[in-house]
Amino acid sequence: MIAGGGVMGCALAYQLARRGRQVVLLERETLGSQSTARCAGGIRQQFSSETNVRLQQLAVRMLLDFETEVGAPSGFRQIGYLFVLSKPELLLEFRANLELWGRCGLDEARWVEPAEIGELAPILSLEGILGGTFCPTDGLAGPADVTTGYAGAARRAGAGLREGVEVTGLEVAGGRLRSVRTSAGEIATELFFDCAGPWSEAVGRLAGIEVPVKPYRRHVIVSDSFPAVRRDHPFVVDFATSFYFHPEGDGVLFGMSDREEPSSFETDVDWGFLEKIVEEASRRAPALQSAGLRTAWAGLYETTPDHQAILGAAEGLEGFWCACGFSGHGFMQAPAAGLVVAQMACGETPSVDVSAFAHSRFGRRRLVRERNVI
């Protein structure tokens, strides 16, 4: 049983079903309609923790082979990610990151000086920029494409994906999960996977399990047609401010985190904060001042205390598993995380060691913060 029909739940449903497991996925709305539908679509390998780097290397390989394996396009385009850095302490951090990436075999990631940054992203103002990193094998994929691709493949493998059905309770006896109560009736299950994204904490609470995931609002803006940013322009992140932009159709998608906003499930657009995003866009990429606004929306990050995912069996209840808490990286990590969690659940050796992301780390206070968070 899987709770949550975003990209993570659909990827996991596919991987379990293709291993011969009987799978039922429940989504209280429609597949891919919540956080997945509202993300920016980025795919990157430039993280500060080794587990995330290796997960993303696997995810990139899977996305390159997605259509062959899954039977549908992913929309994956390797336009690259360009991190620009304007604080001396960030230079030290990202130099250390480069050493990590080299140890992981991510040899294509490299240091870039301001002059090359100007060549890669001509609309950027280089004022205050001290350097950066660029990885050409990073890029963008289609959230709807990947989600529907996995959902279709999961159904063909025998999984039942049910929309408009909500998990309302979990029955526990003898220290293990026995069944799931839903808005459509009770279903017996041996394994339950919490893939509920920003709502994962509430799902865990139904079983008396603490799943430390909090929702945080994030805004996205898409401009009208803007030829100055070509389709092959890299995904740019000004790491100090979190301002980012990338090509989206014939326009530009851009956004920025409000690091002062408290946790909430609010997804209405805060037009006052959008003005701050536009101000930052005009400062870092002045040409964007001439771009008209096509649309804007807000979605939710599912954030853990260390900004790392929770993957695997939960401590304290046999049969309850987690695949949540991705802290803004859920779409890009879902292909690899779905595979690895399914492998562990089926007794296989996982393709990536994700023991650092175990649920038990919170009780034992073994937290290592992911620093490359936008």
Side-chain angles (χ1 to χ4, degrees):
M1 170 75 67
I2 298 171
V7 65
M8 183 63 236
C10 291
L12 179 57
Y14 163 69
Q15 294 291 353
L16 290 170
R18 72 190 293 259
R19 285 166 169 76
R21 293 300 182 100
Q22 185 176 358
V23 179
V24 176
L25 179 150
L26 305 180
E27 166 54 51
R28 67 178 180 177
E29 300 291 341
T30 56
L31 297 177
S33 64
Q34 300 303 303
S35 294
T36 299
R38 302 177 187 214
C39 75
I43 306 291
R44 65 177 165 97
Q45 301 156 96
Q46 296 180 74
F47 283 89
S48 68
S49 65
E50 181 173 345
T51 305
N52 278 328
V53 175
R54 294 195 184 280
L55 268 178
Q56 280 309 117
Q57 288 176 297
L58 175 59
V60 164
R61 294 194 297 270
M62 294 176 71
L63 286 168
L64 289 171
D65 197 40
F66 190 84
E67 189 163 4
T68 300
E69 179 184 347
V70 176
S74 68
F76 185 37
R77 296 189 295 118
Q78 290 179 296
I79 59 174
Y81 253 76
L82 172 63
F83 280 90
V84 298
L85 310 172
S86 57
K87 295 182 177 180
E89 60 268 28
L90 293 178
L91 300 187
L92 296 175
E93 286 189 20
F94 274 75
R95 289 285 193 186
N97 288 343
L98 275 167
E99 293 179 7
L100 166 65
W101 302 339
R103 293 196 301 272
C104 293
L106 189 64
D107 297 323
E108 62 270 31
R110 68 177 192 269
W111 185 260
V112 285
E113 297 293 345
E116 186 176 1
I117 290 172
E119 295 172 0
L120 289 167
I123 73 166
L124 275 183
S125 165
L126 299 180
E127 182 179 358
I129 292 178
L130 304 174
T133 61
F134 178 65
C135 182
T137 54
D138 294 342
L140 299 170
D145 294 333
V146 176
T147 304
T148 57
Y150 275 133
R155 286 185 169 118
R156 291 191 297 274
L161 278 57
R162 302 179 62 182
E163 298 174 297
V165 180
E166 183 175 1
V167 173
T168 59
L170 299 174
E171 292 295 324
V172 176
R176 71 161 296 118
L177 185 72
R178 300 296 180 181
S179 64
V180 179
R181 295 196 305 274
T182 80
S183 56
E186 189 166 345
I187 304 173
T189 185
E190 294 182 355
L191 288 178
F192 176 86
F193 297 89
D194 185 354
C195 299
W199 297 271
S200 296
E201 184 176 58
V203 171
R205 200 175 292 130
L206 294 174
I209 296 294
E210 182 183 358
V211 181
V213 173
K214 300 293 184 185
Y216 288 87
R217 178 167 58 174
R218 292 292 184 264
H219 287 83
V220 172
I221 301 172
V222 178
S223 78
D224 288 330
S225 179
F226 194 72
V229 175
R230 304 179 311 187
R231 287 271 294 169
D232 60 353
H233 192 288
F235 191 132
V236 176
V237 181
D238 183 347
F239 194 70
T241 64
S242 79
F243 170 71
Y244 66 86
F245 69 93
H246 68 67
E248 181 76 5
D250 62 353
V252 181
L253 181 152
F254 55 102
M256 187 173 71
S257 299
D258 183 352
R259 291 166 174 163
E260 303 301 319
E261 183 173 8
S263 171
S264 78
F265 285 97
E266 181 64 62
T267 56
D268 288 343
V269 172
D270 179 350
W271 293 97
F273 184 68
L274 253 60
E275 290 181 5
K276 295 181 181 179
I277 299 176
V278 171
E279 288 174 7
E280 185 57 35
S282 299
R283 184 188 72 85
R284 183 49 73 197
L288 285 175
Q289 294 181 78
S290 64
L293 174 62
R294 178 176 296 170
T295 189
W297 67 82
L300 296 174
Y301 270 18
E302 44 169 317
T303 302
T304 62
D306 58 3
H307 296 284
Q308 309 276 23
I310 310 172
L311 301 179
E315 189 172 56
L317 179 60
E318 189 176 351
F320 190 103
W321 285 56
C322 295
C324 56
F326 291 94
S327 303
H329 313 129
F331 170 63
M332 66 179 72
Q333 292 191 331
L339 172 61
V340 166
V341 172
Q343 288 172 330
M344 292 192 295
C346 295
E348 302 173 22
T349 300
S351 298
V352 176
D353 178 3
V354 293
S355 56
F357 293 171
H359 175 260
S360 61
R361 74 185 189 269
F362 299 104
R364 299 170 187 175
R365 299 194 178 278
R366 294 179 178 173
L367 307 186
V368 179
R369 184 182 180 88
E370 171 57 52
R371 298 188 302 276
N372 286 17
V373 177
I374 301 171

